[in-house]
Amino acid sequence: MCEERARMLQEQFGVTVNHVHALAILISTFHFEKNPSALDQDTFAKYTARTSFERPLLNGVAYAQRLFPHEKETFERQHGWIMRTMNREAAPLQDEYAPVIFSQDTVSYLARMDMMSGEEDRENILRARETGKPVLTNPFRLLGSNHLGVVLTFAVYRPDLPADASVEQRVEATAGYLGGAFDVESLVENLLSKLAGNQDILVNVYDVTNASEPMAMYGSQTPDNKVDLLHVSMLDFGDPFRKHEMRCRYGQKPPLPWSAISNPMGCFVIWMLIGYIICAAWSRYDKVSEDCRKMEELKTQAEAADIAKSQFLATVSHEIRTPMNGVLGMLDMLLGTDLTMTQKDFAQTAQDCGKALIILINDVLDRAKFEAGRLELEEVPFDLRTLTDDVISLFASKLRAKCIELAVFVSDDVPKLVTGDPWRFRQILTNLVGNAVKFTERGHVFVRVSLAENSTMEAKRAPNGNLNGKDCKVEPTANGAFNTLSGFQAADERNSWEYFKLLLSDKELLSDELEGKKSSQNDSDHVTLMISIEDTGVGIPLHAQDRVFTPFMQADSSTSRNYGGTGIGLSISKCLAELMGGQISFISRPSIGSTFTFSAVVKRASKDTSCASERSLSEALPTAFRGMKAILVDGKPVRSAVTRYHLNRLGIIVQVVNNMSMGIQAFGKNGATESREKPSMLFIENDIWRPETDTQLPSRLRTLGMNGQAHELPKLILLVTSEADKDKYGSTFNTVMCKPLRASTIASCLQQLLKVDIPARKENQNRPSFLRSLLVGKNILVVDDNKVNLRVAQAALKKYGAKVHCVESGKDAISLLQPPHCFHACFMDVQMPEMDGFEATRQIREMEKKANEEKREQSSSGEGSTFVEWHLPVLAMTADVIQATYEECMKSGMDGYVSKPFDEQQLYQAVSRLVVGTTDSAS
């Protein structure tokens, strides 16, 4: 309470000091800067009287001018009066005077007095002008009110005084002094009257500049330091040479302190709270313990449910795949016999339906494995360009029947070989391309692969607002078509020519900004691929776009009825994309089309890895066409860039022209050059060629032929999208090439057309056709309790020249595989009665271990020949493809895994790792 009173007193005093300081600045401005002065006694008296409400604690203010002795006579003559001292006597001769020339009416008695005549006033004036701060006098009784107060003195400086003036500069610039009588008693009384509890607290204010003799400014004259509960608060009135303090105490004897009552009550309450906290903590501990016990039970139940789910998936997968293995195997055997065309068609259709069912089962299992966190990715070097070519080749026949453009483009920035999971990558791409083909009846399906950083650069240049189903108008060209692959409008305008050309590496098409971007390409080990699949199909309705990636959900009930499918493909693709460190999104506009984009993080494959790895999925292209020149006539820039991309992969230099006239002109220019620089091929798009109007080209060719330059004529190649167009223009062109284009098929076609010798390539070790050289003459043991599966496996292995022996139980297999035996490999079913494949394999490994130990002892004693360990490659052959089964296979000692129904590709992958180089056991 005392501190609060001291703070408020100090603040009110400070407000009054600020007003006096402002009045000093007013005098400096209007009395010394104006010539003649704008102030006189009447003006000062009126102004201070009218503004006295700003200084309620001052009895009045007066201004004394600084005057030197040589100015005294002139000053008195100008004012018409004689200066007097405080004792009302004529001012004697002294070094300096301070006569009051302006005064408020309340202190008019100070007029004509020399303030330097009083010793204390003189000291205050000298300190005020040296420090530039307000200076206070000792307390004294004010005239009129008889209250205790002090005189506040301010120095008035000339306006030209700098802010950082020294003491000498301030003394030199002093023009006069402004003083005011401060009523301290009134100030404290007004303050205490506004505060509650004023009667209980006694306040005294003292000037303690002289600590041994404090002077009272309010309250009792002598401080009593022996009073109980006394508090002292320091006061700062702005004068650094004076010290003031406020002393507060109770007016009466302090009442009994509440602590005498509150302390026992507080202790009681605290102990009660402690007891309550202990009880609550114990109760909470019991509850948490019970919750932990329940959580453990739930965890055990969840783990049991997860195991049950895995077992259920394994059982369902096995029970479905086992008969499907027999169905597909028998159909494959049936297709290898002599059948009529109708019978072959029926068998092929049944086989396709069976494979579709297997794909559906795989998708469901993949979804279950992803939810369980057991879906793992492989790390294999593969050629992304070959993989994309393989995927679009799967849909070539469907697109040709619909006369739809199908194309793929991989940016030059994408590494040739990357390391990742090519099978999962192919699965995503196949799902998305399959959907695009399924829902597209006109226009095109376009697959584009680039680095994510380049796609980001495109996105920055693309206009904002291009979201799913929103209106993002793309302006057509002058002829009404759009600058896309087929000329039809697409949902995502970033695949149009305006943005597609940003990915091209041709310097003629790149701006300086893009060249600088490519020159600073990121050389890190990991790259992020951005793959977009664009179609001009029916699009996705706006109301269905939120559930596109929901498993087993389709746009509406008519989708499955009209187009087929289960609605799980996109869900699987989303899971796989996230597993690869990327994400998947789409832009779709009803009746316009859809563009699905997914990203994946892969590693750059090192040269050593790509060359040495047996599993590197790469397609070697011939080099015989490098340096050849070709002219491409195509009016659609996106499509021409895609065609040029495939030709450039073969090393062919391509010149693109927009129409036939420009093509003939380009050929004419090249005709005047040397033979080796002439274009050897002329590619023409089907929609550019008009046989009824384009007569210049045949005429030009006939002229060259008549001039004996027939050997220099370019080969005419027509590019079509339908098989029906092949026979239509066969007489005019040397060959008709049907899309989709692929570098390897182009090379094969040009080899026959140009009679180019291509060096024979080494047999690709990764192709299933190499199986015969691996398996011919090998003794293979097949163990399966299902006779149909035995027949299927036997037929599949005999197809490649293997000698197959079949048994129906694990015990029979153990009896045949007692070392020494003559088998090179064993295909072991996992789920069999009496003894399953896991136990049979464990016993086989135990027998081999004992046999190896005996041979090792014989070899060390010199009784035997060179020691060769027994290790029979055992491949699990089961319809169960979940991760837990694979892990169990590895634990039991198996070497590989072949899922039913198995095809040539996975049979090769398993056999090539284990059978090649295996030591003949019989030897």
Side-chain angles (χ1 to χ4, degrees), residues 577-588:
E578 292 174 353
L579 198 62
M580 292 180 180
Q583 57 185 359
I584 188 170
S585 61
F586 71 96
I587 295 175
S588 184

Side-chain angles (χ1 to χ4, degrees), residues 630-679:
I631 297 175
L632 172 62
V633 184
D634 191 352
K636 294 183 175 65
V638 176
R639 186 174 62 184
S640 64
V642 172
T643 304
R644 182 168 57 175
Y645 152 73
H646 288 288
L647 294 175
N648 286 343
R649 289 179 63 191
L650 298 174
I652 300 175
I653 303 172
V654 183
Q655 179 183 358
V656 180
V657 296
N658 294 332
N659 51 55
M660 287 300 302
S661 299
M662 296 176 65
I664 295 173
Q665 293 176 6
F667 176 70
K669 291 179 181 179
N670 287 282
T673 60
E674 296 182 9
S675 176
R676 60 184 178 84
E677 297 182 357
K678 292 181 180 179

Side-chain angles (χ1 to χ4, degrees), residues 666-800:
F667 176 70
K669 291 179 181 179
N670 287 282
T673 60
E674 296 182 9
S675 176
R676 60 184 178 84
E677 297 182 357
K678 292 181 180 179
S680 55
M681 293 160 280
L682 181 59
F683 292 87
I684 303 175
E685 281 289 344
N686 184 28
D687 54 2
I688 295 294
W689 175 252
R690 296 291 183 269
E692 63 276 6
T693 57
D694 296 334
T695 58
Q696 296 182 14
L697 180 61
S699 300
R700 174 67 175 168
L701 296 178
R702 283 196 298 269
T703 302
L704 291 175
M706 294 173 62
N707 294 337
Q709 300 178 359
H711 63 284
E712 299 179 2
L713 294 179
K715 301 299 182 182
L716 298 184
I717 304 169
L718 184 66
L719 304 177
V720 298
T721 57
S722 173
E723 293 283 356
D725 294 331
K726 278 191 172 183
D727 300 331
K728 189 184 299 184
Y729 305 108
S731 59
T732 306
F733 293 87
N734 297 102
T735 187
V736 178
M737 196 175 296
C738 198
K739 297 180 181 179
L741 296 179
R742 177 173 179 165
S744 58
T745 56
I746 295 175
S748 177
C749 181
L750 295 181
Q751 178 188 4
Q752 299 177 6
L753 186 63
L754 301 176
K755 303 296 188 291
V756 176
D757 293 332
I758 298 179
R761 291 180 294 169
K762 295 182 180 180
E763 185 69 25
N764 190 344
Q765 297 289 316
N766 285 329
R767 299 186 57 176
S769 60
F770 193 61
L771 274 172
R772 171 166 289 275
S773 62
L774 296 178
L775 296 176
V776 64
K778 302 292 184 181
N779 295 313
I780 307 296
L781 177 63
V782 179
V783 186
D784 199 319
D785 62 319
N786 189 296
K787 294 183 179 181
V788 175
N789 288 338
L790 283 177
R791 292 181 60 187
V792 172
Q794 184 179 26
L797 294 171
K798 282 186 176 181
K799 181 179 178 181
Y800 301 105

Side-chain angles (χ1 to χ4, degrees), residues 67-307:
L67 193 67
F68 292 100
H70 65 275
E71 301 173 330
K72 177 175 180 296
E73 183 178 352
T74 305
F75 174 83
E76 290 177 342
R77 186 170 55 254
Q78 288 178 350
H79 288 79
W81 45 261
I82 299 174
M83 286 187 296
R84 297 187 179 277
T85 64
M86 292 292 186
N87 297 325
R88 302 292 180 177
E89 298 176 356
L93 181 66
Q94 55 191 28
D95 57 349
E96 191 174 333
Y97 303 93
V100 175
I101 60 174
F102 301 142
S103 62
Q104 191 174 344
D105 291 340
T106 56
V107 290
S108 59
Y109 58 85
L110 295 175
R112 306 179 187 180
M113 285 188 180
D114 177 18
M115 303 307 296
M116 296 286 279
S117 61
E119 185 173 351
E120 184 177 2
D121 291 332
R122 179 183 179 88
E123 291 179 0
N124 290 345
I125 289 173
L126 295 178
R127 283 198 292 118
R129 73 184 186 185
E130 290 175 357
T131 61
K133 295 181 178 181
V135 175
L136 300 176
T137 63
N138 290 326
F140 65 94
R141 294 287 175 180
L142 299 175
L143 296 177
S145 65
N146 201 33
H147 289 171
L148 284 173
V150 294
V151 174
L152 175 70
T153 305
F154 259 107
V156 178
Y157 300 104
R158 294 187 182 90
D160 56 352
L161 179 68
D164 56 346
S166 62
V167 174
E168 292 76 10
Q169 289 176 323
R170 280 196 290 269
V171 172
E172 180 68 23
T174 302
Y177 315 97
L178 181 66
F182 205 105
D183 190 342
V184 177
E185 284 194 22
S186 298
L187 172 62
V188 179
E189 288 291 348
N190 291 338
L191 171 66
L192 296 179
S193 63
K194 299 176 183 179
L195 296 174
N198 181 37
Q199 295 78 9
D200 298 332
I201 301 295
L202 296 181
V203 176
N204 298 305
V205 179
Y206 295 98
D207 184 333
V208 291
T209 304
N210 185 357
S212 60
E213 298 181 2
M215 293 180 287
M217 299 177 69
Y218 177 81
S220 62
Q221 295 298 319
T222 58
D224 188 0
N225 295 325
K226 298 181 180 180
V227 177
D228 294 335
L229 300 177
L230 175 68
H231 182 80
V232 178
S233 298
M234 299 304 298
L235 296 172
D236 182 7
F237 289 147
D239 187 348
F241 296 96
R242 289 200 170 273
K243 296 180 182 180
H244 304 84
E245 65 181 24
M246 176 183 288
R247 301 190 179 191
C248 306
R249 62 183 177 85
Y250 282 110
Q252 300 176 355
K253 184 178 179 179
L256 181 67
W258 274 100
S259 60
I261 302 174
S262 61
N263 286 350
M265 290 295 295
C267 292
F268 175 76
V269 171
I270 290 173
W271 281 110
M272 290 291 292
L273 289 175
I274 292 174
Y276 174 78
I277 291 171
I278 293 174
C279 292
W282 186 262
S283 175
R284 179 64 178 171
Y285 173 77
D286 288 342
K287 186 175 183 302
V288 171
S289 299
E290 181 66 17
D291 291 342
C292 290
R293 186 187 62 79
K294 291 181 179 179
M295 288 177 62
E296 288 293 334
E297 292 180 357
L298 293 174
K299 178 184 176 184
T300 303
Q301 295 175 6
E303 291 175 347
D306 186 55
I307 295 173

